Amino acid sequence: MVSVARVEQALHARRDPPDDPLGVAPPVPVEQLPEEWRLRHESGLRAAAVLVLLLGDPEDPRVLLTERAHHLQHHPGQVSFPGGRVEPHDTSLAMTALREANEEVGLAIDAVDVFGYLPTQWTVSGYAMTPVVGYAPTAALPDAWALDAQEVASAFEVPAAFLFHTGNHRESWREFQGVRFANTEIDWEGRHIWGVTARVISQISRIISDEYR
């Protein structure tokens, strides 16, 4: 079983946001990046944050995921965590993640207890994306998710015990615009999770496994 307390304890050394989220290295050496990606890297990545939300029963929580709207320019239709780029009025990476979750699915900003962060990820769309981890009890959740149709096609919840079990992950290679990436894939009730979202899930899974060996 993967409880909220177990995840929080595993992240005990990661309670503070990264010192330099924009300093994240690309997934392959810079000289191997396609020209478009290299220009993004050289001109500077844009800061972003996503919310890895555990919710419901603290002893058997679920994790909130969304399906991105299919008309979006970047990553259309992909499974992702709620989140987006840092705006000038955001006071922290946690505020970015909470604000975006509020806008995308109607989650109240004060419903979430933020207790950890994961290493920032470099994305092919030019973002330095920091995962913010938190928990919301059932009483703080809306009766139904209020989706922003411009951003989100659907929202769904996956048991943390399934999502963070490495036995449910498949390792593969994926090629995109001439660059070959190590890739994690997870399937849940017809939903296919891959890319940076699956990479974040895999990170949490490894941290939990290392902490409880």
Side-chain angles (χ1 to χ4, degrees):
M1 193 66 67
V2 179
S3 66
V4 173
R6 180 173 178 179
V7 177
E8 185 172 7
Q9 183 176 342
L11 294 178
H12 69 275
R14 304 171 186 266
R15 296 189 184 279
D16 297 318
D19 292 332
D20 181 19
L22 293 177
V24 62
V28 298
V30 173
E31 59 270 16
Q32 296 180 21
L33 294 174
E35 182 179 6
E36 180 184 1
W37 299 6
R38 189 168 62 251
L39 290 173
R40 287 177 186 156
H41 180 71
E42 292 171 351
S43 63
L45 301 177
R46 292 165 290 180
V50 297
L51 180 64
V52 183
L53 179 68
L54 286 78
L55 53 85
D57 184 348
E59 296 303 317
D60 187 18
R62 305 179 305 280
V63 179
L64 176 64
L65 290 166
T66 64
E67 175 192 2
R68 289 172 58 83
H70 291 253
H71 64 264
L72 294 174
Q73 179 181 359
H74 298 302
H75 314 291
Q78 287 188 16
V79 172
S80 68
F81 295 107
R85 67 184 178 187
V86 174
E87 299 291 353
H89 57 274
D90 290 337
T91 56
S92 64
L93 289 168
M95 178 52 67
T96 297
L98 295 170
R99 174 184 54 75
E100 288 283 344
N102 174 260
E103 293 172 2
E104 292 181 8
V105 300
L107 177 70
I109 289 175
D110 61 1
V112 183
D113 174 25
V114 171
F115 58 75
Y117 298 80
L118 292 167
T120 301
Q121 299 277 344
W122 193 98
T123 76
V124 298
S125 49
Y127 287 95
M129 185 203 79
T130 303
V132 178
V133 186
Y135 169 68
T138 301
L141 299 173
D143 293 333
W145 299 117
L147 305 183
D148 177 359
Q150 294 301 311
E151 299 283 342
V152 179
S154 65
F156 60 102
E157 301 164 17
V158 182
F162 176 92
L163 202 62
F164 299 142
H165 191 305
T166 55
N168 297 320
H169 303 178
R170 298 192 312 278
E171 302 305 320
S172 63
W173 290 92
R174 186 178 284 259
E175 186 168 314
F176 182 63
Q177 295 185 356
V179 180
R180 194 165 182 253
F181 296 95
N183 184 53
T184 299
E185 300 182 62
I186 307 164
D187 291 307
W188 165 256
E189 295 188 347
R191 307 277 191 168
H192 185 60
I193 308 165
W194 64 283
V196 68
T197 301
R199 208 154 65 229
V200 170
I201 293 167
S202 180
Q203 276 187 332
I204 297 176
S205 304
R206 291 196 304 272
I207 292 169
I208 293 172
S209 297
D210 289 345
E211 181 75 14
Y212 288 90
R213 275 182 183 168

